[in-house]
Amino acid sequence: MGDENENYAGAYYEGNVYGLCPSWALSLGYMGVAAGAVLSNWGSAWGTWKAGVSLLNTGIRHPGSVMKNVIPIVMAGVIGIYGLIIAVILAGNIPTPTVGTRENVYSIYTGMAHLCAGLCCGLSGLAAGGCIGIIGDYGVRSVGYRTSNISVIFSTDKSGFDDNAGEEGSNGDENKLFVGMLIMLIFSEALALYGLIVALIVSQHSYPCGGE
């Protein structure tokens, strides 16, 4: 009777271990690594593309504002670094099968945690990159137009436009537009940072196979 109970317990333990630690569990972890890196770089490239085109277009009219308006491109590039950080951390936490026995020591629980971490960072970076790109696109154009004294303010004279309105308004209005754009960019960048923080926390969750 005792031998039967021991055999049953051993079979139950082996089945449980196989159910929690199959060989395909490693694919979940590496999908998390790929998702964190690829999606974050996608968002970074998207934001750089949208803001960069507007920056070059505005630089034709007002070359002096190019260095000032390069901030959206820098902030979009930082998102790719977030993805690199989480991808390196996840890749370092994925163990190889044991030498000789070739048994998998990576559980489904750990794989799902790493996949979740990669998706949190990657999708947050993708959304933040798109947001930064769109805000940078319209923001850089608006600041450039205001710096170039382009005005649509109507006056009471026969011409219908006030020629001096653009010159007077450009003294400080472009700075107000720039500050507003910068605040929106900061909060857009925070979206990617939130995803990185959650990913770092979730990446620490693990269940070792064969542990206590």
Side-chain angles (χ1 to χ4, degrees):
M1 187 68 179
D3 294 339
E4 293 180 359
N5 291 335
E6 290 180 359
N7 293 335
Y8 176 77
Y12 176 78
Y13 174 77
E14 291 178 0
N16 232 11
V17 170
Y18 178 77
L20 291 174
C21 306
S23 58
W24 53 265
L26 291 168
S27 62
L28 297 175
Y30 284 111
M31 281 193 293
V33 174
V38 173
L39 294 177
S40 295
N41 289 332
W42 187 0
S44 179
W46 185 11
T48 303
W49 163 57
K50 292 288 290 183
V53 171
S54 298
L55 179 64
L56 295 177
N57 187 24
T58 305
I60 298 175
R61 294 175 175 268
H62 196 272
S65 65
V66 172
M67 296 306 299
K68 179 180 180 180
N69 292 324
V70 78
I71 294 179
I73 298 176
V74 175
M75 297 183 73
V78 173
I79 296 177
I81 300 177
Y82 295 163
L84 175 63
I85 292 173
I86 199 65
V88 170
I89 292 175
L90 294 180
N93 290 335
I94 299 177
T96 57
T98 56
V99 180
T101 59
R102 297 182 180 179
E103 293 181 357
N104 179 39
V105 294
Y106 189 75
S107 64
I108 297 177
Y109 177 86
T110 307
M112 290 299 294
H114 289 172
L115 177 59
C116 176
L119 290 175
C120 283
C121 182
L123 292 177
S124 297
L126 178 61
C131 189
I132 290 174
I134 295 173
I135 292 174
D137 183 9
Y138 288 95
V140 170
R141 291 177 188 271
S142 299
V143 173
Y145 291 158
R146 199 57 180 164
T147 305
S148 300
N149 298 331
I150 298 177
S151 176
V152 292
I153 300 177
F154 289 95
S155 65
T156 56
D157 60 4
K158 296 181 181 179
S159 63
F161 293 92
D162 188 358
D163 295 335
N164 296 325
E167 297 177 0
E168 295 177 357
S170 64
N171 291 331
D173 287 352
E174 71 274 8
N175 292 329
K176 295 178 181 178
L177 285 172
F178 179 78
V179 171
M181 178 186 70
L182 185 61
I183 292 174
M184 289 185 284
L185 290 173
I186 291 173
F187 281 98
S188 300
E189 181 78 19
L191 299 177
L193 185 60
Y194 299 156
L196 175 63
I197 294 173
V198 174
L200 291 174
I201 295 173
V202 175
S203 65
Q204 303 304 314
H205 295 182
S206 64
Y207 177 82
C209 296
E212 296 180 358

